[in-house]
Amino acid sequence: AFVEQTGTLELVRSAIFDNDTHKRGGGIEVRGTLNAINSTIASNSSYWYWHPSSIIRYPGGLVAYGTGHVTLDHVTITGNSEGDLYADVGSMIELRATIIGFKCSGDLTGVHSLGHNLVGYQTCNLDQPTDLQNTLARLTGPIPSSPTTTYEPLPDSPLIDA
């Protein structure tokens, strides 16, 4: 999905799953506004040809550019190529009760925690005492279910009773 500078995408109880693009953000590239609630962005990939003899890879999950504004509430972003979340200079990303399975990258000064988030391999600039950082979520693989593909915590997941 691509959200243009003046556009807005409301993603509710949805999955952006198993996409591949020759541009940035195999799942979602945001230059406008994205509000995602109870959704999954997983198993996406992206790559960009910089030169015929080389391939540049970009995060496959969610990429926020320029003045992109992203709000994630109870969202799982995991299993995407080259990382799950990328924040460009000037973008703003707010996270609440969200799982970033692998890592965040880019300019993380615009990433703000509203609490109860989990990040697998980095801190993503999260500063709330309820955030779990450098902690693996311990999720099942993708489970096709109605109405969307989901991931569930394994019995020993730190998400249980968090």
Side-chain angles (χ1 to χ4, degrees):
F2 176 74
V3 183
E4 188 58 65
Q5 221 166 5
T6 58
T8 298
L9 174 62
E10 301 287 331
L11 189 68
V12 180
R13 292 186 304 275
S14 300
I16 305 293
F17 184 76
D18 201 23
N19 296 288
D20 184 31
T21 184
H22 294 239
K23 298 190 84 178
R24 300 168 186 96
I28 304 176
E29 179 180 340
V30 180
R31 294 177 185 265
T33 301
L34 168 66
N35 297 311
I37 302 169
N38 296 329
S39 295
T40 302
I41 302 168
S43 300
N44 300 290
S45 63
S46 65
Y47 57 93
W48 184 268
Y49 286 102
W50 181 260
H51 186 273
S53 64
S54 64
I55 297 175
I56 308 278
R57 293 196 95 33
Y58 288 100
L62 188 147
V63 176
Y65 279 103
T67 58
H69 183 262
V70 176
T71 303
L72 304 174
D73 190 351
H74 290 85
V75 174
T76 299
I77 306 176
T78 191
N80 298 287
S81 71
E82 305 303 317
D84 293 315
L85 182 70
Y86 177 86
D88 192 25
V89 174
S91 64
M92 179 185 216
I93 301 173
E94 297 174 312
L95 307 167
R96 173 184 290 119
T98 290
I99 300 166
I100 308 294
F102 183 57
K103 70 176 183 174
C104 301
S105 58
D107 178 17
L108 302 179
T109 59
V111 177
H112 303 283
S113 172
L114 302 175
H116 300 282
N117 301 292
L118 181 142
V119 179
Y121 287 104
Q122 289 180 338
T123 63
C124 292
N125 201 36
L126 305 181
D127 58 1
Q128 298 299 309
T130 56
D131 293 327
L132 298 174
Q133 301 178 89
N134 291 308
T135 304
L136 295 177
R138 306 270 305 130
L139 301 171
T140 62
I143 301 170
S145 62
S146 180
T148 186
T149 300
T150 61
Y151 290 74
E152 293 181 359
L154 292 169
D156 64 343
S157 172
L159 298 169
I160 295 177
D161 297 326

